Amino acid sequence: MTREDFERLLEKAVVQLNAEVLASTQHHKPDAFEKRVFEVLKSVAQGEKIEVSPSFHPHAFPDIKANGFGVEVKSTSKDSWLTVGNSVFEGMRDQSVEEIYVVFGKMGGMPAVKSGRYAERITHVRISHAPRFVLEMDRDSSLFEKISVSYDVFCRQPPEEKMKHIRQYTRGRLKPGEQIWWLEDEDSEGMDVQVRLYTQLPKAEKTKLRAQGAILFPEILGGGRKRGKYNKV
């Protein structure tokens, strides 16, 4: 099956899904929508010599696989074509899938469903506890055009190489005086990311942190009236 053949089937499924989410809220919840996408895609693929099945694990990426193609299902209750997607590391990727698409259900406002190539709908990276892709179904400016590496190359790189691209991209978006908040890999290995109050730390740890702060940000040793001296630390 060619890419064009699969996209034809996917578009047929999207037409049916659009009609269903407009007619009823039955499939508006994320789990229900993902299940319905699988059912409809399997239905339209009958007689096409294509086997549609769930991925190897409930938390694997993408959600659905079909003869080397994959479908990641996303939805939102908001009136928006934007959502935070998967981790950039794709640790649970189904290796039998080569080409990935996304089916997105917008359940807020006028409910609608769109599909597209996954790589072309990734427009940004959002950092929380881990870097995650941001998907936008109504924009065409792919993240990978900005970092000058294709998704196919990026997704096969080890985590440290991926992070080099993400750091470079993030630094390029910083405003004057801003810094990225995470450390380099070699410094952050084993780092405790649990948030704790400084006032409740043991005395020895407080002393160590004060010493590190003075070394890394010597401006904190300035006069007591100096404004903003603690901003970076």
Side-chain angles (χ1 to χ4, degrees):
M1 171 170 282
T2 66
R3 176 191 295 174
E4 290 74 19
D5 291 334
F6 184 77
E7 289 179 353
R8 174 177 53 81
L9 288 177
L10 196 59
E11 183 56 32
K12 188 176 180 180
V14 167
V15 169
Q16 181 174 336
L17 289 164
N18 258 303
E20 291 183 355
V21 299
L22 272 173
S24 167
T25 60
Q26 181 181 358
H27 307 302
H28 281 202
K29 298 294 184 182
D31 289 346
F33 182 65
E34 180 179 328
K35 180 181 179 182
R36 189 56 184 159
V37 171
F38 170 72
E39 292 171 345
V40 172
L41 188 58
K42 192 167 185 175
S43 175
V44 299
Q46 287 184 354
E48 296 284 349
K49 296 181 180 180
I50 179 172
E51 182 181 354
V52 179
S53 62
S55 200
F56 69 91
H57 187 277
H59 299 298
F61 167 77
D63 299 305
I64 302 168
K65 60 181 180 180
N67 291 36
F69 295 94
V71 176
E72 179 70 0
V73 181
K74 294 293 181 186
S75 64
T76 179
S77 59
K78 300 177 181 178
D79 186 11
S80 170
W81 289 110
L82 180 149
T83 188
V84 177
N86 304 78
S87 166
V88 303
F89 301 120
E90 297 182 354
M92 289 284 283
R93 175 164 177 152
D94 192 322
Q95 297 302 320
S96 68
V97 171
E98 296 181 4
E99 189 84 31
I100 300 177
Y101 291 79
V102 58
V103 171
F104 189 106
K106 179 184 74 69
M107 305 309 176
M110 181 73 73
V113 180
K114 287 185 179 182
S115 67
R117 294 188 67 200
Y118 184 72
E120 294 174 355
R121 297 295 171 246
I122 297 172
T123 60
H124 180 49
V125 172
R126 183 171 296 179
I127 310 295
S128 54
H129 62 286
R132 304 180 74 85
F133 290 132
V134 172
L135 302 177
E136 295 184 75
M137 301 302 291
D138 57 351
R139 289 184 60 187
D140 295 322
S141 56
S142 169
L143 168 72
F144 302 100
E145 297 173 1
K146 303 169 189 174
I147 64 176
S148 300
V149 61
S150 70
Y151 172 73
D152 290 338
V153 171
F154 181 90
C155 70
R156 288 171 172 78
Q157 290 181 330
E160 57 270 20
E161 290 299 316
K162 290 182 177 181
M163 285 308 300
K164 288 180 181 178
H165 292 298
I166 299 305
R167 287 190 185 92
Q168 183 178 12
Y169 166 72
T170 305
R171 288 188 179 112
R173 291 169 52 85
L174 294 177
K175 298 176 182 178
E178 292 182 338
Q179 295 178 333
I180 55 175
W181 60 262
W182 68 89
L183 299 175
E184 301 296 334
D185 282 344
E186 58 268 23
D187 295 326
S188 59
E189 184 175 357
M191 182 176 64
D192 183 3
V193 295
Q194 180 182 2
V195 177
R196 295 173 294 161
L197 288 173
Y198 176 82
T199 55
Q200 296 179 3
L201 296 177
K203 183 178 179 180
E205 191 167 359
K206 288 181 180 179
T207 302
K208 179 181 178 181
L209 288 171
R210 285 200 299 269
Q212 290 177 337
I215 293 170
L216 295 171
F217 308 102
E219 63 268 22
I220 70 173
L221 301 176
R225 294 176 179 267
K226 184 177 180 181
R227 300 183 62 181
K229 67 179 184 179
Y230 289 108
N231 286 355
K232 289 185 179 181
V233 71

